[in-house]
Amino acid sequence: MKKIGLLIIGAVAAVTLFANLGSLAVFAVSLAILYYAWKRWMKADTTMKKLLWIAVGIIAFAASASNAPALIAVVAAYVLYVVYQKWNETKQMKPKESDDPFAHFEKQWAELERSL
């Protein structure tokens, strides 16, 4: 039953991710341009160059703000990652201890040797 739930959640997350893939690409490009404009603004010597890079930065910020649905794609990608991890995890079962003295001869022999 757990696998069916993971399958449904993974399918919804995959559809959401693929539906917002274009928005995610434009968001990444606009953030890269914004970062580049920031770095160039910090290195600019003249006021005119600073104003140019501020204008480029404002345009890139507006483009990244208009692609806010790309954040939904980022969340969907994270959900897919978590579903993948949960799908592949293995359950570790603890071995059942029995009270049969002959079942764990080596354990009892080691206890006997320690006591001598």
Side-chain angles (χ1 to χ4, degrees):
M1 189 69 169
K2 185 178 178 185
K3 295 279 185 175
I4 293 172
L6 287 175
L7 184 68
I8 292 170
I9 291 171
V12 169
V15 168
T16 304
L17 177 64
F18 288 126
N20 292 315
L21 206 54
S23 178
L24 185 65
V26 174
F27 185 70
V29 169
S30 64
L31 284 181
I33 292 170
L34 183 62
Y35 176 74
Y36 182 73
W38 171 260
K39 287 296 195 179
R40 295 296 294 197
W41 179 76
M42 293 295 283
K43 291 181 182 179
D45 296 331
T46 65
T47 305
M48 194 64 182
K49 285 184 182 179
K50 284 192 182 268
L51 288 175
L52 171 73
W53 289 115
I54 286 175
V56 170
I58 289 172
I59 292 169
F61 180 75
S64 62
S66 68
N67 287 310
L71 297 177
I72 296 171
V74 172
V75 171
Y78 177 72
V79 168
L80 272 176
Y81 173 74
V82 170
V83 166
Y84 178 76
Q85 292 296 327
K86 293 285 185 183
W87 188 278
N88 289 333
E89 81 180 7
T90 58
K91 291 185 179 179
Q92 295 189 4
M93 300 185 73
K94 201 170 21 170
K96 188 175 182 182
E97 297 274 336
S98 68
D99 294 333
D100 183 17
F102 299 107
H104 301 288
F105 178 74
E106 291 84 12
K107 180 180 172 185
Q108 289 183 346
W109 185 260
E111 288 175 2
L112 182 65
E113 285 183 341
R114 275 189 257 136
S115 66
L116 294 177

